[in-house]
Amino acid sequence: MNERIFLSAPHMGGEEVEFIQHAFNENWIAPLGPNVNGFEADIQEYNNIPYAAALSSGTAAIHLALILLGVKNDDVVMASSFTFSATINPIVYQQAEPVLIDSEKETWNMDPVLLEKAIKEYMAKGKKPKAIIFVHLYGMPGKIEEVKAISEKYEIPLIEDAAEALGAKLNDKPLGTFGDFGVYSFNGNKIITTSGGGALVSQNKDWIDKARFLATQARDAAPYYQHSEIGYNYRMSNIAAGIGRGQMKVLDKWVENRRANHDFYFKELNPVGFEFLKEPKGAYSNRWLTCVLFNENLSNNPEDLRQELEKFNIETRPLWKPMHLQPIFKDCKAYLSGVSEELFERGLCLPSSSSLTNEQKSMVVEKIKNFLK
Ligand SMILES: *Cc1c(COP(=O)(O)O)cnc(C)c1O
C-alpha cells in the first residue's frame, strides 16, 4: 500500500530545528522568550500590521478578542455559519448569543446582505450586536470590504477569523488586517504550523498589550502573585514559536505549492464534471484546501468518492458542516440563504498539503477519474 496521502499535513522547511536548538541552548523552554518576540515581529512584518500577540491557539485569539470587546452574557454576536466550530465556541464561553449568517455563492463566505438584514432586525428589537466574526474559509477572501463598511456604518466591531487564510490577500491587503482584530491559527493542519498555536493582531496597541496580559493569567504589577482580573493561560511557548519562526520563512513557498495543487486539480477535474471556487477580481487565495463540487450531471456523490479514495489510503473530507446544522447550535437564530447547506451536500476537500508530490497528485486524479467511469 502507498504511503497515506493526507488532506493537509504539517510541512517543515528545515530551519525550524535551529530556532528550537537555540532555545534549548539558552534554556528558554518557558512560555515567553526570544522566539515568541521574534515570531510576533515576523507576523507583524508579513501582514504589515503593527501589533501581534502569539497565543496557544486560534480559538484563544478569538476568545480574547471577544473579551477585549466586552462581550458578556446575553450579548449578541453575529458570525459566519459556514465555518469550523472554533469560530463560534468562544461566543458561548462568554455566555453570549451567536447569530449565524449564511454564505453568498461567489466566495462561500458570509453574505453581507444577510448580515445587514440581521443587524437591522436586532437593532429594531433594541439589541445591538456587540461584534461580528467574519471567516475567510479555505483561504478564499470573502466580501470583507462590504462587511467592513457595515461594521463602520452600525459601529459594531469586526473580528476577522483568518485562521485558514494566512498568506491570502484582497487587493494586496493581507487578510486578517481589515477588521478591528485579526485571528490566525498555526494548528497542525493549517498553512503553516507551530504544532498548535494562534495569533491575535490589531492596529490598536492597548488591545494587544491587554491580550498578552490576559493570556498570562492577568498578573498585576506586584512582586507577589496578585490578580484583579480573571486571566487565562493562552500564551504561546518559546519552543512552539521557534517552529513558527522557521515556518514563516517558507510561508510564501507553501502558498505557491497549495495554489499549484488547485491549478492541477482544476485542469484535470473541471473537464470531467467538477466545479471549483473561483478567485474574484482582486482576490489572492492561499488555496489552503482545494474543494470540488459535484455537478448535477454526475451520478455519484461526494461520500461515495470519499470512501473509494480511502481504499487507496487517500484522505479527503466533506466541506465544513454549517453551524446552524450542528446539534449544539441548532437552536441559534440563523439567517439562511441555502448556500452553505448546498456546499456541504455537494462538496469534497481534496488532499492539499504543500508537501504533496506530482506523483501523489496524479494518483489522486487517476483514482477519481477511474471512480467516475
Ligand atoms: C482552525 C480554525 C480555528 C481555530 O484555530 P485553532 O488554532 O485550531 O484553535 C478557527 N477558525 C477557523 C475557521 C479554523 O479553521
Side-chain angles (χ1 to χ4, degrees):
M1 183 58 102
N2 54 285
E3 219 179 284
R4 185 160 175 77
I5 300 179
F6 289 102
L7 187 72
S8 181
H11 187 190
M12 294 299 111
E15 288 191 52
E16 294 83 359
V17 279
E18 290 169 34
F19 287 105
I20 295 174
Q21 188 60 52
H22 191 253
F24 272 73
N25 294 348
E26 309 273 314
N27 205 28
W28 276 111
I29 313 297
L32 306 187
N35 281 337
V36 175
N37 302 338
F39 187 43
E40 288 177 345
D42 291 345
I43 294 168
Q44 288 162 194
E45 192 191 323
Y46 184 88
N47 292 300
N48 192 21
I49 188 130
Y51 307 105
L55 301 169
S56 55
S57 69
T59 312
I62 297 170
H63 191 197
L64 289 178
L66 293 173
I67 293 168
L68 290 162
L69 293 174
V71 172
K72 54 181 193 329
N73 54 323
D74 301 329
D75 283 340
V76 167
V77 176
M78 309 257 151
S80 302
S81 187
F82 194 38
T83 186
F84 175 46
S85 64
T87 306
I88 310 299
N89 285 337
I91 302 171
V92 182
Y93 301 164
Q94 289 308 100
Q95 298 177 305
E97 179 196 339
V99 172
L100 304 170
I101 312 292
D102 209 340
S103 302
E104 35 79 14
K105 275 209 161 84
E106 198 185 346
T107 77
W108 302 0
N109 291 305
M110 184 194 277
D111 184 340
V113 178
L114 280 182
L115 171 69
E116 185 159 25
K117 178 170 182 251
I119 291 172
K120 279 183 176 162
E121 283 188 20
Y122 271 81
M123 286 180 65
K125 286 192 285 188
K127 200 97 188 102
K128 179 173 167 174
K130 262 296 185 56
I132 301 162
I133 309 181
F134 181 95
V135 182
H136 300 282
L137 217 59
Y138 301 117
M140 179 60 76
K143 296 189 186 291
I144 188 68
E145 284 169 340
E146 289 86 336
V147 167
K148 170 100 180 147
I150 292 169
S151 136
E152 283 168 356
K153 178 172 167 191
Y154 295 95
E155 298 180 324
I156 303 169
L158 176 60
I159 301 167
E160 229 184 319
D161 180 347
E164 302 178 2
L166 182 64
K169 287 173 264 193
L170 183 61
N171 299 324
D172 284 328
K173 190 171 160 63
L175 301 188
T177 66
F178 287 81
D180 297 279
F181 285 106
V183 169
Y184 301 111
S185 168
F186 311 108
N187 198 0
N189 59 354
K190 297 286 156 67
I191 191 117
I192 60 167
T193 183
T194 59
S195 88
L200 184 66
V201 301
S202 177
Q203 305 281 350
N204 183 324
K205 179 175 190 296
D206 293 344
W207 276 345
I208 297 302
D209 286 346
K210 185 81 191 273
R212 292 195 187 105
F213 167 78
L214 292 173
T216 46
Q217 306 288 22
R219 201 179 153 192
D220 291 342
Y224 33 82
Y225 279 80
Q226 175 179 292
H227 308 271
S228 312
E229 273 182 80
I230 293 295
Y232 301 84
N233 186 0
Y234 276 174
R235 204 71 164 112
M236 181 177 280
S237 83
N238 196 51
I239 297 296
I243 305 175
R245 294 196 76 185
Q247 289 270 279
M248 286 304 286
K249 294 183 182 292
V250 289
L251 171 55
D252 282 338
K253 250 199 264 174
W254 285 190
V255 171
E256 281 172 33
N257 291 0
R258 295 214 184 222
R259 288 176 60 86
N261 292 341
H262 165 272
D263 294 351
F264 179 81
Y265 287 133
F266 180 84
K267 189 171 95 268
E268 296 287 335
L269 297 175
N270 185 248
V272 298
F274 292 99
E275 285 170 33
F276 289 72
L277 180 56
K278 279 199 203 74
E279 275 173 335
K281 196 166 166 288
Y284 181 83
S285 170
N286 68 10
R287 295 290 186 187
W288 173 56
L289 296 184
T290 296
C291 312
V292 292
L293 299 180
F294 280 60
N295 265 348
E296 292 81 38
N297 43 14
L298 287 182
S299 53
N300 317 86
N301 69 56
E303 180 53 19
D304 292 341
L305 177 57
R306 190 189 70 77
Q307 289 181 20
E308 174 70 12
L309 292 174
E310 196 54 53
K311 289 183 199 152
F312 300 99
N313 217 8
I314 297 170
E315 183 186 23
T316 59
R317 198 186 290 158
L319 272 59
W320 293 117
K321 180 173 183 172
M323 290 304 114
H324 65 271
L325 298 181
Q326 299 288 346
I328 189 69
F329 298 126
K330 69 177 188 331
D331 296 331
C332 292
K333 176 91 172 135
Y335 287 79
L336 302 178
S337 59
V339 170
S340 64
E341 288 183 34
E342 189 192 327
L343 292 169
F344 177 60
E345 276 164 28
R346 283 179 55 206
L348 194 69
C349 305
L350 301 182
S352 302
S353 304
S354 47
S355 54
L356 213 59
T357 64
N358 288 338
E359 291 70 34
Q360 288 175 318
K361 271 184 265 190
S362 298
M363 178 175 153
V364 172
V365 162
E366 180 200 314
K367 300 300 179 204
I368 294 175
K369 287 181 176 170
N370 287 342
F371 165 79
L372 294 180
K373 276 180 196 151

